[in-house]
Amino acid sequence: MNQQRAEHGDKALPGLKRSPCGGRCQPAWMQGMIFPMDAFFAFSYVLPSLCALGAQDFTARVIPMRSKEIIVDPQLIIVAGREKSLLRRHPWIFSGAVATVKGRPVSGQTVDVLGQNGQWLARASFSPKSQIMGRVWTFDAEEVIDEEFFLRRILQSAGRRKDFESSSNALRLIHSESDGLPGLILDRYDGVLVFQLLTAGAEFWREAIVGTLRSLFPEDAILERSDVDVRAKEGLAARTLVVHGQIPEQVAIHENGVKYLVGVQGGHKTGFYLDQRDSRLAVSRAAMGREVLNCFSYTGGFGLAALGGGAAHVTQLDASAPALALAERNRDLNGFAAGSMATVCGDAFQLLRTWHKEGRTFDLIVLDPPKFVDSKASLNRACRGYKDINLCALRLLNPGGRLFTFSCSGLMEDGLFQKIVSDAALDAGRTGRIIHRLTQAGDHPVSLAFPEGAYLKGLEVLVD
């Protein structure tokens, strides 16, 4: 290189000037660009043509790259000792476990995860605004995260649901981390796909995910329901969008012999609580001849299952009049007699107290309230809420009655939930015995390495 410079009299290129230190400095038109000039000096057949050009011609023939566009093998370096969970294949990497971020990755980009000793640990999505800074795509160093990766994973995940298709035409096909696709939820309602992108990584690969769904389910309509609060923690805005096809106002599904109309465009979650399929079947089996109260009924899932199981009468209680109106349509869809079901719109906490004062009783009560726990800071308040509603319900149960009580709060541990129900029974002066523990349906699996995936817990309690 020095010889080449000598042959050209060590002349500066047009537009360059010597710096006080004797080196070459970038002119104004090159400021902020990554430009390895020594590479040009190294080749004799390049330098003469460059010297013959002015700065204006030079910029027209060379495509510059600005430094913020350069992405060089982005990596997360883990704090020493904090790699143990990754070695156990837990898919979350909290920000406190990250010692260094290398390569300036953008939100959602795939990064390699390395230990302090340089050991490769995983390949993850990067989320700089979340406390969970990385979510693992793969623990296989040979697996590349690209369109083929999502095609392969989605196909595998859907294939694992074959055993559940006989009980319903509405299933969860992808359950986020437990199916190796963090941040991606996919439910299928009889030819209508509804998906949610909950994390920066899932959002980053949105185009590949949508393309895969179009390829694997060419006849299905596709709706995006990325309208959940958790996206804000990832720095993402809410979004609801029809991606493909025509989305009906309601989709008709069937489950264990009962029919339901589901409003996928504006209903809770993706339109229906698919995770309660097994628990609805349990209520159906216990409902024969009983007077049933379904609290927080939404569109009537548990109550309709009870009617399907031969309940004498069902009261559907919810704070949403539109949800109760759909519950009535579901009653008619199944051919249940109009007098077999009543709908009551109001606050469950207040109404259960009022009915207790009036001496009203039931043989079977279902409590499936919304999530009371959003964070650890709200856990104590949530415990009080769960105890209060269970206390109110236990006071309304006839001797020998059944209480089906649930918590969908992931931060509510099983043991704590049982203690809350036990304390409520004590205050109500009732004795209860757990005869079944209930959890989310099998199409909402829980990875052995990811216990956080077990969010839904329920108890069937026989009350004396």
Side-chain angles (χ1 to χ4, degrees):
M1 185 173 359
N2 291 336
Q3 181 179 356
Q4 297 297 335
R5 292 178 179 177
E7 290 176 357
H8 291 277
D10 203 24
K11 297 176 181 178
L13 289 175
L16 295 179
K17 63 180 181 179
R18 283 193 182 278
S19 66
C21 63
R24 290 180 170 83
C25 298
Q26 291 180 331
W29 56 271
M30 289 176 60
Q31 293 299 317
M33 298 181 184
I34 305 298
F35 211 78
M37 292 301 297
D38 282 346
F40 291 103
F41 290 115
F43 301 98
S44 57
Y45 57 85
V46 173
L47 187 57
S49 62
L50 294 181
C51 292
L53 294 174
Q56 190 73 18
D57 293 330
F58 187 70
T59 57
R61 299 193 183 190
V62 178
I63 300 175
M65 298 179 67
R66 298 197 176 275
S67 58
K68 67 179 181 180
E69 297 170 348
I70 298 294
I71 301 174
V72 182
D73 297 332
Q75 298 174 344
L76 297 186
I77 309 301
I78 302 301
V79 173
R82 298 291 296 273
E83 73 281 356
K84 294 180 181 178
S85 64
L86 289 166
L87 294 174
R88 293 194 299 269
R89 298 204 165 195
H90 191 284
W92 285 356
I93 304 168
F94 287 94
S95 57
V98 178
T100 308
V101 179
K102 293 186 176 181
R104 297 183 181 180
V106 299
S107 181
Q109 186 181 348
T110 302
V111 296
D112 285 327
V113 184
L114 279 67
Q116 286 287 326
N117 60 357
Q119 178 188 6
W120 189 92
L121 298 170
R123 194 159 284 129
S125 63
F126 176 65
S127 183
K129 295 187 177 182
S130 172
Q131 289 185 347
I132 305 175
M133 186 173 287
R135 286 179 168 84
V136 174
W137 291 124
T138 182
F139 291 97
D140 181 356
E142 302 301 319
E143 191 166 27
V144 178
I145 311 305
D146 55 13
E147 289 83 355
E148 289 296 322
F149 168 84
F150 288 94
L151 175 63
R152 185 169 59 253
R153 286 282 173 98
I154 292 173
L155 191 60
Q156 291 171 347
S157 183
R160 287 192 286 268
R161 269 65 175 182
K162 295 297 183 183
D163 292 342
F164 304 107
E165 292 178 352
S166 61
S167 63
S168 179
N169 63 345
L171 296 171
R172 173 151 296 183
L173 298 185
I174 299 172
H175 190 49
S176 198
E177 281 90 349
S178 290
D179 282 308
L181 290 165
L184 177 58
I185 297 294
L186 176 64
D187 292 336
R188 191 183 193 203
Y189 297 93
D190 190 31
V192 176
L193 296 175
V194 186
F195 72 92
Q196 295 178 321
L197 305 177
L198 309 180
T199 62
E203 179 74 17
F204 186 88
W205 287 100
R206 182 181 184 277
E207 184 176 342
I209 291 168
V210 170
T212 296
L213 297 182
R214 292 286 303 273
S215 174
L216 294 179
F217 305 95
E219 304 300 322
D220 286 13
I222 304 175
L223 173 68
E224 180 177 2
R225 282 288 306 276
S226 298
D227 54 355
V228 290
D229 294 340
V230 71
R231 278 174 62 92
K233 297 180 180 180
E234 300 280 317
L236 304 172
R239 181 175 58 239
T240 299
L241 182 68
V242 177
V243 175
H244 175 68
Q246 299 293 320
I247 308 298
E249 182 179 356
Q250 274 104 31
V251 181
I253 66 169
H254 62 80
E255 175 191 286
N256 294 315
V258 181
K259 301 173 185 177
Y260 302 92
L261 293 173
V262 178
V264 295
Q265 297 196 58
H268 296 178
K269 303 183 80 172
T270 62
F272 196 64
Y273 291 95
L274 295 176
D275 52 0
Q276 288 283 29
R277 183 183 306 106
D278 294 348
S279 297
R280 283 189 288 269
L281 182 59
V283 166
S284 175
R285 290 170 174 169
M288 175 64 72
R290 295 179 182 268
E291 180 78 17
V292 176
L293 170 62
N294 181 22
C295 298
F296 311 99
S297 65
Y298 186 41
T299 57
F302 279 107
L304 293 161
L307 287 175
H313 185 268
V314 170
T315 300
Q316 308 270 26
L317 169 58
D318 198 85
S320 169
L324 291 172
L326 188 53
E328 292 175 346
R329 289 188 62 190
N330 284 331
R331 176 197 59 201
D332 298 340
L333 179 67
N334 285 277
F336 298 136
S340 66
M341 188 185 93
T343 57
V344 179
C345 186
D347 181 271
F349 289 88
Q350 295 179 2
L351 282 171
L352 265 59
R353 284 185 170 85
T354 299
W355 290 343
H356 173 58
K357 292 178 181 178
E358 295 173 351
R360 190 171 179 181
T361 59
F362 299 89
D363 303 312
L364 188 155
I365 297 178
V366 179
L367 298 177
D368 187 23
K371 183 167 63 174
F372 289 167
V373 187
D374 292 323
S375 64
K376 290 183 178 179
S378 65
L379 184 58
N380 288 335
R381 174 171 51 82
C383 290
R384 292 192 294 270
Y386 282 118
K387 181 180 178 182
D388 191 16
I389 196 62
N390 278 276
L391 171 62
C392 291
L394 286 161
R395 286 173 171 167
L396 295 178
L397 270 174
N398 288 318
R402 302 284 182 94
L403 173 66
F404 286 81
T405 181
F406 299 92
S407 169
C408 61
S409 303
L411 292 172
M412 175 66 66
E413 296 181 355
D414 289 7
L416 178 57
F417 184 61
Q418 179 178 333
K419 181 179 183 302
I420 290 169
V421 178
S422 175
D423 289 346
L426 184 64
D427 288 357
R430 309 299 295 271
T431 300
R433 292 172 176 80
I434 299 171
I435 55 178
H436 289 111
R437 292 185 181 274
L438 304 164
T439 187
Q440 61 224 52
D443 56 342
H444 294 61
V446 181
S447 168
L448 288 173
F450 185 64
E452 292 86 349
Y455 64 94
L456 180 61
K457 56 203 66 70
L459 303 172
E460 181 183 353
V461 183
L462 178 62
V463 180
D464 295 338

